Amino acid sequence: MPQRYEAACALLPRPLREAAMAVEEKGRVEELRLRRGERLGLTLPEGEVSVPGARITGGDLEAVLDIATGCSRY
């Protein structure tokens, strides 16, 4: 599995991270898409697919920023 995919998944809150790590297409994913109210999207060479699971909330997006910045956005 590509290290870049793992690194990107490490920025996700645990439920989203677990869902992303469970997909079979890990080696083909070009982009993770996070949109409030939608499911986690994975962009593959042939198009986007949704990962089964809960819909992304505003809290999930806030958590991604907190994880990425070490809770120090400013």
Side-chain angles (χ1 to χ4, degrees):
M1 170 176 20
Q3 290 179 341
R4 291 177 62 176
Y5 185 79
E6 281 187 12
C9 289
L11 298 173
L12 300 173
R14 186 175 53 178
L16 294 176
R17 181 174 54 244
E18 290 173 353
M21 293 301 292
V23 300
E24 294 182 18
E25 299 93 351
K26 291 180 198 81
R28 300 180 38 224
V29 175
E30 298 174 348
E31 181 179 15
L32 298 175
R33 292 196 174 177
L34 299 133
R35 293 178 291 243
R36 187 175 51 186
E38 301 292 329
R39 296 188 199 302
L40 175 64
L42 304 177
T43 303
L44 303 172
E46 61 274 4
E48 187 174 341
V49 296
S50 294
V51 176
R55 297 193 183 276
I56 294 169
T57 66
D60 291 328
L61 298 175
E62 293 287 327
V64 169
L65 287 174
D66 286 342
I67 293 166
T69 63
C71 294
S72 180
R73 296 184 204 180
Y74 308 101

